[in-house]
Amino acid sequence: MSTLERIEHIKESGGWLDRYQHDSTGCRCRMTFSVYLPPQAAQGPVPAVYWLSGLTCTDDNFRTKAGAQRYAAELGLALVIPDTSPRGDGVPDEPERYDLGQGAGFYVNATQAPWSEHYQMYDYVARELPALVEAELPLIPGLKSISGHSMGGHGALICALKHPGAYRSVSAFAPICHPTVCGWGEGCFGAYLGDDREAWKAYDATELVAAGAEPIPLLIEQGTGDEFLPDQLYPQDLQTACNARGFPLTLRMRDDYDHSYHFVASFIGEHLAYHAAALSKG
């Protein structure tokens, strides 16, 4: 019996943009995610790019602002777009803060009360959601890549680094590259994971590379006009760690672009083409 409830079904760029809800076993609440199936899915299974969004976002931000579906239709890619955190009346939150609680799951498995009962976002995006999609949506059989923006860029990087071989490629827009030393990361990690900073390193791309993660090419897009670049994102730290290990990193600094979806929309076509090339290899 299907565990998915489809709540939207919209024709777009020759394919279909669907929205689903399901009861998550890990997050212990009703979760929402979107899927775009390109027109090529009418002939059979297609590879997928999983997209992880940033602080304050839901699945709706990317699918309405990035313009990605048009490129996905041209390239024959499915898009799988989860929410950024558990949600609901029984889910802990900090309503006065945008950077903790609902909308700010940070793609970690929380170990501290009251967050640990619901905030298991790492397992959700890396394990539970792909298993559900592959079981319930046979046109997306499991060949996948991953990308994301800001907090979601952080999530994409750690998913790829912690699961060698699970993704054919990874990319990120303005990712939080070294969360254990930035305000956003310290605030969320301290709440979700406790005071042991050594435990935080398991969810930090810079620390994972430095500790010996298996090499996978990293593609990062970063705007020089990003207001969060100086004190939250730290791509230079990730670059230093990669250089020290000979780890393949392409860091593209884009003059004057900011942190918004105007930046994402400007280069999402290039990123999807990058993933399509990786997914097409035997």
Side-chain angles (χ1 to χ4, degrees):
M1 183 176 65
S2 176
T3 60
L4 289 182
E5 177 190 2
R6 190 171 69 186
I7 59 174
E8 289 183 8
H9 185 55
I10 303 168
K11 187 76 170 181
E12 184 172 356
S13 297
W16 289 97
L17 179 63
D18 294 327
R19 205 175 198 185
Y20 295 96
Q21 289 184 338
H22 72 107
D23 293 323
S24 168
T25 57
C27 294
R28 299 172 64 87
C29 66
R30 196 82 170 152
M31 294 292 285
T32 301
F33 68 97
S34 291
V35 172
Y36 178 70
L37 284 176
Q40 293 86 342
Q43 279 71 54
V46 291
V49 175
Y50 281 68
W51 174 269
L52 306 185
S53 295
L55 285 167
T56 76
C57 292
T58 69
D59 59 310
D60 207 33
N61 296 77
F62 178 72
R63 69 183 202 148
T64 60
K65 293 181 178 181
Q69 289 88 296
R70 177 170 64 88
Y71 297 107
E74 295 171 358
L75 295 164
L77 296 174
L79 302 173
V80 181
I81 313 160
D83 202 349
T84 56
S85 78
R87 296 183 193 270
D89 293 339
V91 176
D93 193 18
E94 291 283 352
E96 71 280 5
R97 292 182 59 176
Y98 76 92
D99 58 349
L100 182 67
Q102 295 187 32
F106 234 90
Y107 305 105
V108 304
N109 289 337
T111 59
Q112 305 299 302
W115 311 101
S116 55
E117 182 177 357
H118 297 282
Y119 283 73
Q120 301 296 309
M121 285 301 294
Y122 177 76
D123 277 350
Y124 179 75
V125 298
R127 297 186 175 93
E128 182 181 354
L129 181 60
L132 178 68
V133 166
E134 292 159 25
E136 300 288 347
L137 302 176
L139 292 174
I140 306 177
L143 184 61
K144 60 187 183 293
S145 293
I146 193 165
S147 187
H149 171 234
S150 192
M151 179 186 74
H154 142 78
L157 293 176
I158 64 168
C159 282
L161 292 168
K162 289 166 70 69
H163 278 264
Y167 305 94
R168 288 292 184 91
S169 52
V170 58
S171 71
F173 290 79
I176 303 170
C177 293
H178 202 177
T180 57
V181 301
C182 79
W184 283 339
E186 290 177 324
C188 283
F189 285 6
Y192 297 149
L193 303 175
D195 296 333
D196 182 3
R197 287 178 171 262
E198 284 300 309
W200 299 3
K201 293 180 180 180
Y203 298 104
D204 183 313
T206 296
E207 298 294 341
L208 289 168
V209 169
E214 183 176 316
I216 179 175
L218 307 179
L219 172 61
I220 292 177
E221 213 78 45
Q222 176 63 60
T224 64
D226 190 323
E227 63 271 37
F228 301 113
L229 178 58
D231 57 5
Q232 297 285 8
L233 304 181
Y234 293 103
Q236 69 277 11
D237 289 6
L238 180 59
Q239 186 169 50
T240 297
C242 287
N243 289 345
R245 288 198 54 216
F247 202 102
L249 167 65
T250 300
L251 174 59
R252 302 197 296 209
M253 302 299 295
R254 300 290 192 173
D255 288 346
D256 302 325
Y257 282 92
D258 62 16
H259 199 73
S260 73
Y261 265 91
H262 298 290
F263 171 53
V264 175
S266 297
F267 301 105
I268 191 64
E270 294 180 27
H271 279 240
L272 291 181
Y274 165 78
H275 292 302
L279 289 161
S280 68
K281 295 178 181 178

